[in-house]
Amino acid sequence: SAFQVDEVGFVIAAGWVTTTFWALDIGVSFISAYHRPDGLIETRLKKIAGRYISTWFCFDLTLVLVDIFARLWFVGGGVLGRVGKLW
């Protein structure tokens, strides 16, 4: 085939792209305005950050950290996977 792609390399790269996207999304969520119950848009950064921390932050951070850890530990004998073999 004229357009052979290293599937393993592509899958690993695509995984890191999505992990990076979601990690960056955490930062963006700290500055993204939201609609208050009274219909107004909240743009004060302190209020936005407080709301994010009290709603989705722990969930988002947990998923991103688990994803990063899994990639480093398991994918292609990753960095942590090689360290883990020492024990």
Side-chain angles (χ1 to χ4, degrees):
S1 173
F3 299 103
Q4 286 186 324
V5 176
D6 177 16
E7 290 180 18
V8 173
F10 175 78
V11 170
I12 291 171
W16 278 110
V17 167
T18 58
T19 300
T20 302
F21 172 84
W22 290 115
L24 293 172
D25 183 63
I26 290 174
V28 171
S29 294
F30 275 103
I31 59 171
S32 296
Y34 65 91
H35 288 275
R36 298 185 331 199
D38 62 5
L40 296 175
I41 297 175
E42 183 61 70
T43 58
R44 293 175 287 185
L45 293 179
K46 200 170 193 177
K47 295 279 187 178
I48 294 168
R51 181 174 188 253
Y52 179 55
I53 288 171
S54 67
T55 56
W56 287 100
F57 176 70
C58 289
F59 179 77
D60 290 347
L61 185 64
T62 300
L63 289 180
V64 169
L65 289 177
V66 166
D67 195 23
I68 290 170
F69 178 78
R71 291 189 187 291
L72 292 175
W73 188 268
F74 297 111
V75 175
V79 175
L80 294 177
R82 288 190 295 272
V83 171
K85 290 178 185 176
L86 296 175
W87 288 300

